[in-house]
Amino acid sequence: MSTITDEQAEDIQEAREILVNMLRSVEEHGPYSAEATCTFLRQAILCLPRFSETFCSSCSKALGPGNSGASHCGDHK
Ligand SMILES: [Zn+2]
């Protein structure tokens, strides 16, 4: 089963807000410079989990979305 932590849910929400704010601003004021656009997109990407599913290398249990899996069973549960 794939679940995300409250912290990850907040990060995803934050990424969404960055993108929505950017979209609104572009609609209202026109496009940003390439540099500013990249800065906004990087901020949003950094808020998102890197992998859609992570695993424990010891027992192969699926641990849900995250930036890395667990090496030992003590690291999850
Ligand atoms: Zn494990």
Side-chain angles (χ1 to χ4, degrees):
M1 205 172 87
S2 178
T3 54
I4 58 171
T5 64
D6 287 349
E7 196 182 337
Q8 286 170 333
E10 276 173 28
D11 284 348
I12 290 167
Q13 183 61 31
E14 194 180 326
R16 190 187 144 76
E17 276 168 23
I18 291 169
L19 293 174
V20 167
N21 287 339
M22 186 182 172
L23 177 64
R24 286 205 185 122
S25 184
V26 169
E27 281 173 342
E28 206 169 316
H29 306 291
Y32 294 114
S33 66
E35 196 183 331
T37 304
C38 289
T39 301
F40 269 108
L41 291 178
R42 275 197 206 98
Q43 282 175 355
I45 289 165
L46 283 173
C47 292
L48 296 170
R50 194 164 161 205
F51 303 110
S52 59
E53 190 66 272
T54 61
F55 299 92
C56 170
S57 346
S58 297
C59 71
S60 300
K61 180 178 157 56
L63 304 175
N67 292 327
S68 63
S71 305
H72 308 284
C73 288
D75 298 338
H76 69 81
K77 203 145 182 232

